[in-house]
Amino acid sequence: MLLPTTKCNTMWLVLCVIPVLLQAAEAAIYECKNEKHLDENYCVFRNVEYDGRNAIEFKVPSSKELHVAFFDSKLKHIPKELLAAFPEMRALYVVDCNLTSVVIPNKLERLFASNNIISKVIVHQSAATTNMIELMLDSNRLQDIANITRHLKKLEILNLSGNEELPKEKGIDLGIFQGMANLRSLTLAGVGANYVDNDRGVKFPELTLLDLSNNDLTTSNLAVKVFASMPKLETLRLAHNKITSLEVMELTRNNKELKEIYLEGNDFACSFQTLLVKHLAESGVDLRVQGKNVECLQGYMKQNDMCCRTSLLDTVTIMVSSENPNDGAPTNQEANDKESPTTTTIKTSVRTTTVGTTSGRTSTTHAPSAGVAKGEDRSDGSSDASTLILGNSLTSCLVLAIAKLILF
């Protein structure tokens, strides 16, 4: 006896249809509203959730909407449904959306994708057909930007700040931007770079702003000749690095269009900073300071609205003075001081610096006094060496021990 097949067929139909119905039910539909953003009309989506697996649909007022923005949204990737819904999109704003990757479609001109966790940029444009002029990818996790520099040759504004894994061997090679002749603004702040070079001599004919602030640049790893390839440079940001001196004369000679420079948060000696500020003023370059109310650390003082290193920290060597012509015989003063606490005259070497060069070390001997005297700044930029007193203390013992080792 044969069993009827109607029940089986019905069961299979149900099993096939239910997943489709469930999938359709799970599809989230989002509709944008026209709002004013960045002085332009944007089609704005809010509270969008997309993890790369859930079904999603975008309803738009018109397929010709040019500017799209997402607020209070979480997007793991840029949904292909979004690109299909906005084929004419020119600007995309996806700041702080938890993106791990981002797509630059064919007609896009501006992308704002700051404060995400982007490690991959997918570019649908080529060097011959690119439309991109502005790309904001600061505060992400980029390690390689080869596809950006290779294909987006018409970029005018590029922000890569805060991508701490971007520098190769802790350095920034400006040569990677070769062929991007339209760049007007290049921001590389806070990427953890120790040095900057341009060994290939790549030209930046239109660059007016370069930001290298909040890195670990040192004087020896920052030759100002790297800026000579930027004839239109107007704004140079070098604040909050580890620079102790700067070849400012060469800088202003090579970059005659320079209008403003940011240098706060470095480690300039006050004597050098005085000459630096004077030269910049004479060259018509405005020294900009953003943190004028910042308190200086111990050993630093406020000068020209910036903290600078006082003469106390300029001391680089300490040695026992042997300038007494009667080295074996006690003087009357020494005889009188037999019962008093032991004191020692020391010689301090102070580095004095002029703008653009570093002079040799000048030794100055001071007799002991009752305290530590702060060097007095002179009008020529030099300063008195510091006077240090060694009494019956651990410091005295340490200094004498070091001095004996040096002498013997």
Side-chain angles (χ1 to χ4, degrees):
M1 182 177 179
L2 296 176
L3 295 174
T5 58
T6 53
K7 291 185 178 180
C8 293
N9 291 338
T10 303
M11 184 179 296
W12 281 111
L13 181 62
V14 170
L15 291 176
C16 293
V17 171
I18 286 178
V20 175
L21 293 175
L22 289 175
Q23 185 176 5
E26 291 175 359
I29 300 176
Y30 296 96
E31 185 172 359
C32 63
K33 295 182 179 180
N34 287 314
E35 298 181 20
K36 201 77 171 178
H37 179 60
L38 299 176
D39 295 326
E40 293 182 291
N41 292 321
Y42 272 75
C43 201
V44 176
F45 291 96
R46 296 184 182 276
N47 302 306
V48 177
E49 298 284 341
Y50 179 67
D51 61 8
R53 297 186 302 269
N54 59 300
I56 194 168
E57 182 180 344
F58 297 96
K59 293 180 64 176
V60 298
S62 169
S63 61
K64 294 185 178 181
E65 290 289 344
L66 300 180
H67 305 135
V68 181
F70 287 83
F71 294 107
D72 305 315
S73 300
K74 299 298 179 185
L75 307 169
K76 186 174 183 179
H77 310 293
I78 300 297
K80 63 181 184 296
E81 291 85 356
L82 178 70
L83 303 181
F86 294 92
E88 301 295 324
M89 183 166 54
R90 297 293 192 273
L92 176 60
Y93 184 93
V94 282
V95 173
D96 195 19
C97 286
N98 209 40
L99 285 166
T100 60
S101 68
V102 70
V103 176
I104 299 178
N106 287 323
K107 296 185 178 182
L108 197 69
E109 297 175 354
R110 292 177 292 153
L111 173 63
F112 306 91
S114 309
N115 300 317
N116 286 288
I117 50 176
I118 297 170
S119 60
K120 184 178 181 180
V121 180
I122 302 166
V123 181
H124 290 171
Q125 302 182 11
S126 67
T129 63
T130 181
N131 299 301
M132 285 291 292
I133 58 173
E134 184 171 4
L135 181 56
M136 308 295 285
L137 287 170
D138 48 302
S139 300
N140 279 287
R141 298 182 183 177
L142 294 173
Q143 298 183 26
D144 186 8
I145 58 170
N147 57 338
I148 294 174
T149 57
R150 186 186 307 119
H151 300 299
L152 307 181
K153 295 293 188 181
K154 294 181 181 178
L155 275 177
E156 298 178 9
I157 301 172
L158 177 58
N159 189 340
L160 297 170
S161 295
N163 287 277
E164 297 180 356
E165 299 176 40
L166 187 60
K168 306 300 181 186
E169 298 180 354
K170 287 295 183 179
I172 297 174
D173 179 10
L174 296 178
I176 63 176
F177 303 104
Q178 187 169 12
M180 304 181 75
N182 292 342
L183 273 179
R184 294 186 292 106
S185 174
L186 178 59
T187 310
L188 295 164
V191 296
N194 291 335
Y195 66 90
V196 178
D197 60 39
N198 187 11
D199 294 337
R200 285 177 274 179
V202 172
K203 303 296 183 182
F204 297 86
E206 300 299 325
L207 195 68
T208 60
L209 183 150
L210 178 63
D211 190 346
L212 297 170
S213 56
N214 293 291
N215 282 295
D216 296 316
L217 303 177
T218 62
T219 300
S220 59
N221 290 333
L222 180 65
V224 298
K225 66 180 181 180
V226 300
F227 309 125
S229 60
M230 308 166 188
K232 293 186 179 180
L233 188 64
E234 297 180 0
T235 301
L236 179 59
R237 296 174 178 265
L238 294 172
H240 302 289
N241 278 283
K242 298 178 180 179
I243 305 169
T244 56
S245 65
L246 189 68
E247 296 285 346
V248 68
M249 287 183 177
E250 181 181 350
L251 177 66
T252 54
R253 183 171 62 249
N254 294 338
N255 300 93
K256 299 186 182 300
E257 299 299 319
L258 191 64
K259 292 182 172 60
E260 58 182 13
I261 189 169
Y262 294 74
L263 293 170
E264 63 185 295
N266 282 288
D267 194 23
F268 300 126
C270 292
S271 55
F272 174 83
Q273 185 168 295
T274 298
L275 297 175
L276 174 67
V277 172
K278 180 181 178 182
H279 177 77
L280 291 173
E282 291 174 349
S283 302
V285 180
D286 188 10
L287 179 62
R288 294 294 182 91
V289 180
Q290 292 180 314
K292 295 183 179 181
N293 297 323
V294 172
E295 292 188 6
C296 300
L297 298 174
Q298 186 174 4
Y300 291 76
M301 63 178 287
K302 188 68 69 68
Q303 181 175 285
N304 308 112
D305 293 324
M306 300 194 307
C307 296
C308 60
R309 182 166 22 95
T310 64
S311 58
L312 289 176
L313 297 182
D314 284 339
T315 302
V316 291
T317 59
I318 297 178
M319 61 187 73
V320 175
S321 173
S322 58
E323 294 185 0
N324 189 344
N326 301 315
D327 277 344
T331 62
N332 292 335
Q333 181 64 37
E334 288 173 341
N336 294 335
D337 290 343
K338 272 187 177 181
E339 302 302 324
S340 63
T342 304
T343 60
T344 306
T345 300
I346 65 171
K347 180 185 291 183
T348 61
S349 297
V350 179
R351 180 185 298 274
T352 58
T353 313
T354 57
V355 177
T357 60
T358 302
S359 68
R361 304 173 194 271
T362 304
S363 298
T364 307
T365 304
H366 290 275
S369 62
V372 179
K374 178 181 177 182
E376 181 179 354
D377 292 335
R378 297 198 185 104
S379 60
D380 62 357
S382 63
S383 61
D384 288 334
S386 306
T387 302
L388 306 178
I389 297 303
L390 304 178
N392 288 329
S393 66
L394 180 60
T395 305
S396 305
C397 298
L398 288 173
V399 171
L400 289 174
I402 293 172
K404 288 181 178 180
L405 288 173
I406 295 173
L407 293 174
F408 299 99

